[in-house]
């Protein structure tokens, strides 16, 4: 069987725009009539996505698959590392949890993981016209090269030429290119087919002397200079991008302010990106208790280490600020790990995530969380089960598309669970789920999700991707506007990444040498 060719995107460092360039190429080549598939051998990210078959992959590869108009599969990101702390990560292989490992143990597993990577890549090359491969970090990280399974080792496996991307916005791009080339082995340098300068602001003609020098010094041409594209509606792969949200100005009097707690181990914060692109809405990521005051909504997001981040909430005083907010009947939303924090306690008898078998929660919702040894990953269809700020108006009767990624399962408060914590718990009323899940991974079901407080101002849910449903976003924002006495909009901006994919592809088509690009891709 003839194997599809591959082109690889590597970078001079992390966060130089490899994912965006790969996404642009996926859409560009798809526009040209090719069946394109993305591939990243190993991804370290807490923004994850669930494929239609229930596998867990990095959000970036799911976006690239969407840009290529193909269904995402676990083969596109066969190894996903989800950091749980400074020294350990959950290792997800072909969409399923493989184990919790430190760096040394993970390196011991590299030989068998290399075969997993090679087999996944082979399957993609057998079923496509072109594979667009993304690297990780830099190929010149000499301390990691011996154990590499994501950069040049993959380029060799796919016999792929490499585009080396550098970020000019951070400065030093020419030194980064030359330095990277100097640190590569001769066979690796031979794979670098062209440089791509990314995030340029200004007149590209001003770069001409530098580009000439770069080619003379390295013998490698520059494929093109990509401009900085503001306000792309695409999720960040890691939490580095949250720093900009941290510095955002507070909302004006006629704007809605949503404060998302910047947990140390925050995950799936792409949940809130649709809100950032709504008119009159300011989304800020906060890590001080004083920053919660005046916010129209406070959100506890997902976490890879729920119990540890709950401890951080208490240490910083944010937990007390949330409890005070609840006493004032002000809206609070918890998603996934954040939802689990709102319950009575988190039980982890198998040490799945925590170091303690029992962690007291904030006791704002009448349930406890029990961690299982298996992870729930599913695409779901849900409906509103109780009237809340997420389920008013058209959202009340709408089918809601979302997905689950969690190992903790919610159970209604019982006399036994209340007694475990001394029985001194608030009584917010009976357990009421926030949503009813009516479909999981294509199969019909009926099961409750999350919980709602008696006053309706506290909502917890395990569902990700809620705000990609316009009806849910409209319900939330109009509810918050009514609380403030502001006019309601009646509808929200329809969330779509299509415009972003088209912008990326157009930028690549206009600013990259198309003939050289196709030559490098082998098509």
């Amino acid at each position: 069987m003839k194997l599809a060719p591959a082109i690889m995107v590597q970078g001079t460092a992390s966060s130089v725009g490899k994912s965006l360039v790969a996404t642009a190429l996926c859409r560009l080549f798809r526009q040209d009539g090719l069946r394109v598939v993305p591939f990243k051998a190993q991804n370290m990210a807490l923004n994850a996505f669930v494929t239609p078959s229930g596998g867990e992959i990095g959000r970036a590869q799911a976006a690239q698959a969407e840009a290529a108009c193909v269904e995402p599969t676990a083969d596109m990101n066969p190894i996903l590392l989800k950091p749980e702390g400074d020294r350990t990560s959950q290792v997800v292989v072909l969409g399923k949890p493989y184990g919790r490992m430190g760096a040394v143990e993970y390196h011991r597993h590299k030989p068998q993981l290399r075969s997993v990577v090679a087999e996944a890549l082979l399957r993609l090359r057998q079923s496509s016209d072109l594979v667009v491969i993304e690297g990780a970090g830099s190929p010149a990280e000499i301390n990691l090269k011996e154990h590499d399974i994501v950069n040049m080792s993959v380029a060799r496996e796919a016999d792929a030429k490499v585009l080396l991307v550098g970020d000019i916005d951070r400065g030093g791009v020419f030194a980064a290119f030359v330095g990277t080339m100097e640190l590569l082995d001769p066979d690796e340098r031979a794979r670098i087919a062209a440089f791509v300068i990314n995030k340029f602001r200004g007149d590209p003609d001003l770069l001409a002397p530098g580009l000439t020098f770069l080619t003379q010094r390295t013998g490698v041409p520059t494929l093109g200079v990509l401009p900085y594209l503001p306000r792309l509606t695409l999720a960040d792969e890691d939490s580095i991008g949250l720093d900009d949200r941290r510095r955002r100005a507070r909302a004006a009097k006629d704007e809605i302010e949503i404060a998302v707690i910047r947990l140390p181990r925050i995950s799936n914060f792409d949940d809130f990106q649709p809100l950032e692109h709504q008119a009159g809405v300011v989304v800020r990521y906060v890590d001080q208790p004083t920053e919660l005051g005046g916010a129209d909504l406070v959100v506890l997001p997902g976490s890879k280490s729920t119990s540890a981040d709950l401890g951080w909430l208490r240490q910083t005083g944010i937990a007390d600020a949330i409890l005070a907010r609840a006493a004032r009947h002000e809206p609070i939303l918890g998603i996934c790990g954040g939802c689990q924090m709102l319950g009575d306690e988190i039980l982890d008898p198998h040490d799945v995530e925590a170091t303690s078998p029992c962690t007291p929660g904030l006791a704002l919702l009448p349930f406890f969380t029990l961690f299982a040894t298996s992870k729930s990953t599913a695409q779901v269809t849900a409906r509103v089960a109780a009237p809340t700020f997420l389920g008013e108006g058209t959202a009340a009767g709408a089918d809601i598309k979302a997905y689950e990624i969690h190992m903790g399962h919610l159970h209604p408060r019982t006399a036994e669970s209340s007694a475990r914590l001394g029985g001194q718990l608030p009584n917010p009323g009976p357990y009421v789920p926030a949503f009813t899940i009516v479909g999981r991974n294509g199969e019909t079901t009926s099961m409750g999700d999350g919980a709602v407080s008696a006053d309706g101002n506290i909502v917890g849910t395990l569902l990700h991707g809620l705000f990609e449903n316009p009806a849910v976003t409209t319900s939330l924002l109009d509810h918050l506007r009514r609380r403030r006495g502001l006019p309601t909009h009646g509808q929200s901006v329809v969330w779509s990444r299509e415009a972003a994919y088209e912008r990326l592809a157009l930028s690549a088509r206009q600013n990259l040498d198309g003939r050289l690009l196709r030559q490098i891709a082998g098509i």
Side-chain angles (χ1 to χ4, degrees):
M1 180 181 292
K2 183 179 179 180
L3 300 181
I7 183 171
M8 188 164 191
V9 180
Q10 298 186 13
T12 57
S14 296
S15 299
V16 298
K18 294 186 294 291
S19 294
L20 290 181
V21 172
T23 303
L25 296 183
C26 284
R27 175 51 61 96
L28 184 151
F29 286 121
R30 177 66 184 89
Q31 290 173 343
D32 290 347
L34 298 178
R35 175 175 168 78
V36 189
V37 295
F39 181 76
K40 185 167 185 174
Q42 172 194 285
N43 197 347
M44 178 176 282
L46 288 178
N47 273 357
F49 181 78
V50 176
T51 69
S53 62
E56 187 178 3
I57 64 174
R59 164 58 78 174
Q61 280 61 64
Q64 289 160 6
E66 189 175 53
C69 302
V70 295
E71 186 175 280
T73 69
D75 280 342
M76 296 173 183
N77 178 205
I79 303 173
L80 175 63
L81 304 180
K82 306 189 74 174
E84 296 181 337
D86 294 336
R87 296 180 179 273
T88 62
S89 292
Q90 182 187 57
V91 182
V92 178
V93 176
L94 293 176
K96 301 300 179 184
Y98 183 77
R100 298 171 68 191
M101 300 182 192
V104 174
E105 183 181 2
Y106 179 61
H107 286 320
R108 287 201 297 265
H109 285 258
K110 285 286 184 72
Q112 62 199 82
L113 293 177
R114 286 182 195 278
S115 63
V116 171
V117 168
E119 290 164 7
L121 178 59
L122 177 62
R123 286 190 290 270
L124 293 178
R125 295 184 69 192
Q126 290 172 336
S127 60
S128 64
D129 298 322
L130 177 68
V131 181
V132 176
I133 305 174
E134 181 186 341
S138 162
E141 293 171 352
I142 55 177
N143 58 313
L144 301 177
K145 284 178 66 173
E146 180 183 355
H147 302 287
D148 171 47
I149 61 171
V150 66
N151 285 317
M152 284 301 179
S153 66
V154 176
R156 284 190 289 269
E157 182 70 33
D159 193 22
K161 293 293 187 181
V162 175
L163 303 180
L164 187 62
V165 179
D167 177 3
I168 197 170
D169 197 42
R170 64 173 61 187
V173 71
F174 295 110
F177 282 136
V178 173
T180 299
M181 294 294 287
E182 289 291 327
L183 290 174
L184 295 178
D185 295 335
D187 67 304
E188 296 170 334
R189 282 196 294 272
R191 289 203 175 272
I192 304 294
F195 300 122
V196 176
I197 292 179
N198 195 28
K199 305 182 189 178
F200 183 68
R201 308 173 193 243
D203 184 352
D205 290 341
L206 298 176
L207 290 178
L211 301 182
T212 299
F213 162 82
L214 194 58
T215 301
Q216 291 173 344
R217 177 64 182 261
T218 66
V220 174
T222 298
L223 184 66
V225 179
L226 295 174
Y228 175 78
L229 297 178
R231 295 188 67 80
L232 281 171
T233 54
L234 295 177
D236 295 308
E237 189 170 40
D238 53 43
S239 58
I240 293 176
L242 295 184
D243 292 340
D244 291 337
R245 278 89 149 190
R246 175 70 180 82
R247 292 187 289 266
R248 282 179 181 164
R250 301 207 64 162
K253 290 183 178 180
D254 60 347
E255 293 179 316
I256 294 298
E257 180 171 311
I258 297 173
V260 181
I261 307 299
R262 173 58 163 96
L263 299 170
R265 301 160 188 85
I266 189 171
S267 67
N268 284 80
F269 53 86
D270 55 308
D271 279 336
F272 314 109
Q273 194 165 30
L275 298 174
E276 297 183 46
H277 295 272
Q278 303 296 323
V281 177
V282 175
V283 178
R284 300 176 69 244
Y285 285 77
V286 303
D287 56 14
Q288 300 294 327
T290 54
E291 296 177 298
L292 274 60
D296 296 287
L297 173 70
V298 168
V299 181
L300 281 167
S303 166
K304 189 61 193 73
S305 299
T306 306
S307 294
D309 278 350
L310 184 51
W312 176 84
L313 287 181
R314 291 190 164 102
Q315 293 168 5
T316 58
I318 293 177
D320 290 335
I322 290 173
L323 294 174
R325 183 180 179 88
R328 297 192 299 268
H329 302 282
E330 295 174 351
I332 299 169
L333 171 64
I335 295 181
C336 201
C339 170
Q340 295 166 4
M341 296 178 190
L342 293 173
D344 294 341
E345 57 183 345
I346 299 170
L347 304 179
D348 192 355
H350 305 290
D351 296 329
V352 172
E353 197 180 270
T355 57
S356 171
C358 180
T359 303
L362 299 178
L364 293 175
L365 291 174
F367 63 78
F368 64 93
T369 301
L370 178 63
F371 269 74
T373 54
S374 59
K375 180 182 287 191
S376 292
T377 54
Q379 290 193 0
V380 305
T381 301
R383 294 175 188 150
V384 171
T388 71
F389 50 74
L390 295 181
E392 299 172 341
T394 57
D399 277 355
I400 295 165
K401 302 297 184 182
Y403 60 96
E404 297 175 293
I405 306 176
H406 59 89
M407 299 186 79
H409 298 264
L410 308 187
H411 299 270
R413 178 186 291 169
T414 64
E416 179 185 358
S417 66
S418 179
R420 273 199 301 268
L421 296 180
Q424 302 299 313
L425 294 173
N427 182 20
Y431 173 79
V432 177
F435 296 97
T436 300
I437 296 174
V438 296
R440 296 185 85 246
N441 288 338
E443 297 184 2
T444 301
T445 187
S446 180
M447 55 189 297
D449 164 78
V452 180
S453 63
D455 65 2
N457 287 314
I458 305 173
V459 178
T461 174
L462 297 180
L463 301 182
H464 294 287
L466 286 173
F467 299 114
E468 296 192 26
N469 296 272
V472 177
T473 300
T474 299
S475 172
L476 171 66
L477 297 183
D478 279 355
H479 178 93
L480 298 179
R481 289 183 179 111
R482 282 194 294 270
R483 286 180 61 91
R484 288 268 305 280
L486 298 174
T488 59
H489 290 190
Q491 61 182 9
S492 60
V493 175
V494 176
W495 175 248
S496 172
R497 286 174 286 267
E498 274 300 302
Y501 300 144
E502 291 294 313
R503 283 178 67 195
L504 284 170
L506 179 61
S507 177
R509 200 175 291 280
Q510 291 176 336
N511 296 287
L512 301 181
D513 182 334
R515 180 176 297 180
L516 178 57
L517 176 62
R518 284 158 181 76
Q519 178 184 331
I520 293 169
I523 56 174

